[in-house]
Amino acid sequence: METAIEVENLRKVYKEGRVEVVAVDSISLSIYKREVVGILGPSGSGKTTLLSMMGCILRPTGGNIRIHGEDVSNLSEHILPYIRRKYFGFIFQGFNLMPPLTALENVKLPLKFKGVPENDAEKESSHLLRRVGLNERVNFLPRDLSGGEKQRVAIARALAGDPPIILADEPTGNLDHKSGSHVVGLLRELVTTNNSCAIIVTHDSRIFHSLDRVFHIEDGRLKT
Amino acid sequence: MFSIALRIILYDKVRTLITLIGVVFAVALIFAQIGIYLGLMETASLIIDRTPGDIWITSKNNRNFDFSMPFPELKINRVLTAEGVKNAEKLIVTWGVIKQPQGGTEQVEIVGYNPDTGIGGPWEMKAGDVRDVKSGNYIIVDASSMKRLGMLEKGDHREIMSRRLKVVGISQSVKSFTTAPIVFTSYKTAQHIGGYVGEGETVFIIANVFDGYPVKDVVERLREALPGLDVYSKDEFSKKTRLYWTIETGVGFSFLITILISFFIGMLIVGQMIYNSTVEYLKEFGTLKAIGAANIDIYKIIFSEALINAILGYVISLMLTLASVKVYKTTEMVFTINTEVAALVFLITLVMCVFSAFISVRKIRRIDPALVFRG
C-alpha cells in the first residue's frame, strides 16, 4: 500500500504563561491511499491539533511530517499555502462556507487559489455539486441550505482540484444520523474513486463502522 | 478576489449603506472645501487673470492686488523704453466709501482704468460699454454688487467719498476676495477720489511684451531699470496675491484643516467598517487560508472592499457636488469644480479608503489557523 501521509514523533507544545502544555506528544502513524481513518479521543486530547499539523495549518514543535514522501515539517510560512492547495481538502464541523457566496462560488474558491481558469473552475464545481447531489442548489446561498446540504457543499469544496488527502474535523457533528451516514458514505465513495484518503476526527460512534482504521488519542498520546 | 469583495459588500447591505454614507459625507465635504477655496482664490486674482497684460509693476514690497501703494506715474516712460515692451498702461486700485440712498455706507474697491484701451476694466458688460466712463464722473458697477449697493441701473447716481458719480454701465462676474463691491471708473477720476492716490500717481503699470520676447527676460530688464519698484510676470503676481490671502489671512490653513479633518473622519469610518467586517468574517478568512489562500489573497479582498467603497462613495459625492453648484451660484459664491479638482478628490478618496484598509491587515496576518477547527 502506498503511504499518503506519515508522521514521526510529532510534538506540539503550547506556552500558557510560564507553563508549557504538551498538546501532542511524540505521535507516529502512517495513513495509506484509499483509506478512511478516524482519530478518536475526548475533548482536549489533541486530536484537532494533530489534524491541524498534518494539514500544515499548525507548525509542529518537533518531529516530521511527510506527505507523499515530501517532508513538509520545516517549510517556511510562504510555502505552506501552496502545500495546502496541492495536497489537502478540508471539511469543518461548522461547514465554514462564505455566507455571501453561492454554493457554486464556495466550491470554486480552492480552484481560484490554484489559478484554475474561470470556465474550467465553473465546470468542475458544477460537476462536484452534482456528484454530492446538489445540482438543484448551485445558486443557493448557505443561509438557504439545510445543515446536511451545507456539509455536502463543504465536501464538494474539499474535493475541488482533486486533493490527495481529505482532512475532516467532526464532519457529522452538526448533522442528524441520516445526513451523517450519507456524508461518510459519500466520503468513502469519493476516496475510492479518486484514489485519495480521508482522515476524520470524530466523536460520533455511529460512523465507527464505516472507518477502515481508528487511532485513539488521549492526553496527546496515541493509545494502542 | 474583487468579485468576493463585491459579494461581501452586496451581502452586508446595512453595513455597506452606513459605510457609503460616511464616505459620501467625507468626500462631499472635501469637494466643498476645495471648491470654495479655489473659488475664493479665483476671485482673489480675478482682475489680474482677466486683464490683458504680461507684466505687472507695483510699489516696492507690495504683497497683493488689493492693498498697494501709489508711485509716480512717470515711471511708465522707463517701462515703455525698455527693450521688448510693446505697450504699457496705468491702473489705479484704491478704496472708498459709497453712500447708500436709504442711509448708511458701504466700502467699495475702486478700479481706475484707461477707457480708451479698456486694460484693467470690466471684461463682460451687462449694460453700457467700458468706454462710457470717459470724461466725467462716471462709474460702472458689477451686477454681483446689487445686494450690497441696492438695485442700481444706468443713469442712477451715487456718492463716493463726497463725489457724485453717475452709473453708466453694469458689468458682470467681477468679484473681490475682500467681498467689497468693485466699482470701475476712469483712471483720471480714480486719481481724485478719496485722496489716497494723488495727481501724477498710479498704483500699477501693466505692460505687454512684443511677440518673440520671453516675458521672463523683459521682467528681468525692468527689474534692473526700476530698482524702486517690484516687477512681476502676470502669473507671478496672480500667485503672489493668492498666496497672500491663503497664508497671511489663515484662510488656506482653515480650509486645509477642514479637508484634513474630513479625510481622517472618512478614513476612520471606512476603516472601522472594514475592520468590523474583517472581524465578522475572521473565521471565513481563516477557512480561506486553510484551503490554500495566501495572506496576499485575503489582503486583496480587504483592499478591494475599500476600493469599491471609495469608487461608489466618490461617484455619489461627485453627483451631489455637481448638483449643489447651482445652489452655490444662487448665494453669489464662486465654487470651482473642474477635471483637476475631480481627479484630485478621487485620489484623496482612494488614499483615504485604501489607508483605512491597513487597519485590518494586521488582523488578517495574525489569524490563528486553528480557528477554523473551532465549532
Side-chain angles (χ1 to χ4, degrees):
Chain A
M1 281 200 287
E2 276 184 86
T3 309
I5 184 163
E6 190 180 358
V7 300
E8 199 176 61
N9 292 322
L10 204 61
R11 214 174 131 73
K12 182 68 189 176
V13 180
Y14 290 110
K15 274 198 171 179
E16 283 181 5
R18 289 183 179 179
V19 183
E20 284 193 344
V21 178
V22 181
V24 170
D25 192 6
S26 302
I27 287 184
S28 298
L29 54 84
S30 295
I31 293 153
Y32 305 101
K33 286 184 181 176
R34 297 168 79 99
E35 264 194 322
V36 178
V37 302
I39 298 175
L40 312 182
S43 288
S45 59
K47 53 189 189 305
T48 298
T49 305
L50 175 64
L51 193 78
S52 304
M53 287 191 289
M54 287 198 290
C56 297
I57 286 175
L58 202 58
R59 295 173 82 83
T61 312
N64 294 309
I65 305 169
R66 273 186 293 277
I67 301 162
H68 285 227
E70 185 180 353
D71 190 342
V72 297
S73 326
N74 297 307
L75 293 177
S76 82
E77 286 289 339
H78 300 293
I79 306 291
L80 292 178
Y82 165 75
I83 295 293
R84 291 197 289 267
R85 283 198 292 267
K86 184 179 175 188
Y87 290 112
F88 300 108
F90 290 93
I91 301 167
F92 309 98
Q93 182 178 2
F95 321 123
N96 295 18
L97 301 175
M98 286 288 282
L101 305 186
T102 63
L104 185 74
E105 288 164 338
N106 266 291
V107 178
K108 265 161 60 178
L109 282 173
L111 300 170
K112 268 190 182 217
F113 301 135
K114 282 181 181 174
V116 175
E118 181 65 25
N119 277 348
D120 297 344
E122 182 103 9
K123 272 182 206 164
E124 186 178 339
S125 305
S126 300
H127 169 71
L128 285 167
L129 283 170
R130 245 195 327 273
R131 212 164 149 190
V132 297
L134 288 176
N135 42 325
E136 301 289 318
R137 298 280 191 273
V138 285
N139 292 320
F140 279 44
L141 290 174
R143 67 177 174 213
D144 301 323
L145 298 170
S146 69
E149 286 171 334
K150 282 180 199 166
Q151 195 58 295
R152 280 190 275 161
V153 175
I155 290 171
R157 181 179 66 186
L159 294 171
D162 289 329
I165 303 162
I166 308 289
L167 300 178
D169 184 40
E170 304 278 7
T172 57
N174 283 338
L175 304 179
D176 57 35
H177 178 63
K178 193 181 163 194
S179 304
S181 301
H182 183 72
V183 163
V184 177
L186 197 60
L187 273 176
R188 151 96 35 222
E189 182 198 323
L190 296 167
V191 159
T192 312
T193 343
N194 291 3
N195 196 27
S196 54
C197 73
I199 304 163
I200 301 172
V201 164
T202 186
H203 276 110
D204 191 351
S205 56
R206 296 170 303 182
I207 64 165
F208 288 177
H209 66 276
S210 312
L211 305 171
D212 296 318
R213 283 192 294 155
V214 172
F215 295 99
H216 289 272
I217 293 185
E218 213 170 288
D219 297 330
R221 300 183 77 95
L222 209 57
K223 276 179 71 182
T224 47
Chain B
M1 300 308 128
F2 189 84
S3 60
I4 297 174
L6 189 62
R7 297 304 298 269
I8 290 174
I9 281 177
L10 292 174
Y11 187 74
D12 295 330
K13 289 188 181 72
V14 175
R15 196 203 320 268
T16 301
L17 190 68
I18 295 168
T19 310
L20 273 182
I21 290 171
V23 178
V24 166
F25 272 108
V27 177
L29 198 55
I30 292 171
F31 256 126
Q33 292 301 303
I34 294 178
I36 293 169
Y37 169 75
L38 291 178
L40 283 173
M41 288 305 110
E42 212 173 88
T43 58
S45 62
L46 190 63
I47 294 181
I48 304 169
D49 298 332
R50 298 301 294 258
T51 297
D54 300 321
I55 295 169
W56 284 69
I57 295 148
T58 77
S59 58
K60 199 76 184 164
N61 300 322
N62 172 41
R63 301 172 78 186
N64 65 67
F65 172 83
D66 302 276
F67 307 110
S68 206
M69 287 275 289
F71 59 89
E73 62 181 10
L74 284 175
K75 296 281 182 187
I76 196 167
N77 296 327
R78 298 293 299 271
V79 176
L80 286 166
T81 53
E83 188 189 346
V85 173
K86 185 179 168 186
N87 57 48
E89 199 57 76
K90 294 168 284 183
L91 184 78
I92 289 173
V93 174
T94 186
W95 292 83
V97 174
I98 190 167
K99 262 190 191 172
Q100 299 286 64
Q102 71 278 18
T105 59
E106 278 282 350
Q107 196 175 26
V108 289
E109 193 167 359
I110 302 159
V111 178
Y113 65 97
N114 180 352
D116 292 326
T117 62
I119 291 177
W123 49 88
E124 198 179 338
M125 294 298 291
K126 203 173 170 184
D129 189 275
V130 286
R131 283 166 296 196
D132 292 348
V133 293
K134 197 176 174 180
S135 314
N137 288 324
Y138 303 130
I139 52 169
I140 293 171
V141 292
D142 195 75
S144 63
S145 314
M146 299 299 178
K147 272 187 188 164
R148 300 273 292 273
L149 303 180
M151 291 312 289
L152 288 163
E153 284 177 9
K154 266 178 82 175
D156 287 349
H157 286 82
R158 283 287 187 278
E159 200 176 296
I160 299 177
M161 306 299 278
S162 307
R163 182 180 282 250
R164 192 172 151 79
L165 298 142
K166 185 181 176 184
V167 177
V168 291
I170 309 290
S171 64
Q172 258 191 171
S173 320
V174 186
K175 284 173 192 168
S176 162
F177 180 84
T178 62
T179 72
I182 290 180
V183 172
F184 291 97
T185 188
S186 70
Y187 179 77
K188 278 289 164 201
T189 307
Q191 266 184 333
H192 299 104
I193 294 180
Y196 180 68
V197 182
E199 184 77 38
E201 284 186 328
T202 187
V203 174
F204 297 110
I205 295 172
I206 303 161
N208 279 298
V209 171
F210 278 115
D211 289 344
Y213 278 88
V215 172
K216 202 177 142 198
D217 294 352
V218 181
V219 166
E220 280 309 314
R221 262 196 291 279
L222 285 170
R223 276 178 187 156
E224 280 172 26
L226 301 162
L229 300 176
D230 280 341
V231 183
Y232 303 103
S233 68
K234 179 183 194 157
D235 198 37
E236 281 172 347
F237 193 45
S238 175
K239 276 185 187 153
K240 190 179 173 70
T241 295
R242 287 178 180 216
L243 215 60
Y244 171 83
W245 289 114
T246 301
I247 295 169
E248 299 298 326
T249 61
V251 162
F253 184 71
S254 59
F255 274 102
L256 184 70
I257 287 289
T258 320
I259 290 167
L260 282 177
I261 290 171
S262 312
F263 178 84
F264 284 116
I265 288 173
M267 199 158 91
L268 282 175
I269 292 169
V270 182
Q272 198 202 2
M273 287 302 170
I274 290 180
Y275 184 79
N276 284 349
S277 168
T278 306
V279 170
E280 197 173 298
Y281 282 93
L282 215 52
K283 192 163 187 174
E284 284 76 15
F285 288 146
T287 306
L288 295 186
K289 279 176 96 166
I291 65 176
N295 278 341
I296 189 80
D297 294 316
I298 301 170
Y299 296 158
K300 280 181 193 169
I301 296 173
I302 301 290
F303 282 101
S304 297
E305 277 187 62
L307 201 67
I308 294 165
N309 279 313
I311 292 168
L312 286 176
Y314 172 80
V315 170
I316 298 168
S317 297
L318 182 64
M319 288 193 297
L320 287 176
T321 304
L322 289 174
S324 65
V325 167
K326 282 182 185 170
V327 179
Y328 280 103
K329 275 187 181 164
T330 60
T331 61
E332 297 291 340
M333 283 177 77
V334 181
F335 187 91
T336 302
I337 170 98
N338 51 35
T339 316
E340 286 84 4
V341 171
L344 175 71
V345 176
F346 183 58
L347 194 71
I348 291 172
T349 313
L350 282 185
V351 171
M352 180 178 88
C353 291
V354 168
F355 264 78
S356 68
F358 274 103
I359 302 168
S360 299
V361 162
R362 202 166 152 264
K363 195 82 188 166
I364 296 295
R365 202 165 44 222
R366 289 169 180 254
I367 288 179
D368 177 5
L371 180 81
V372 293
F373 288 114
R374 287 177 201 144

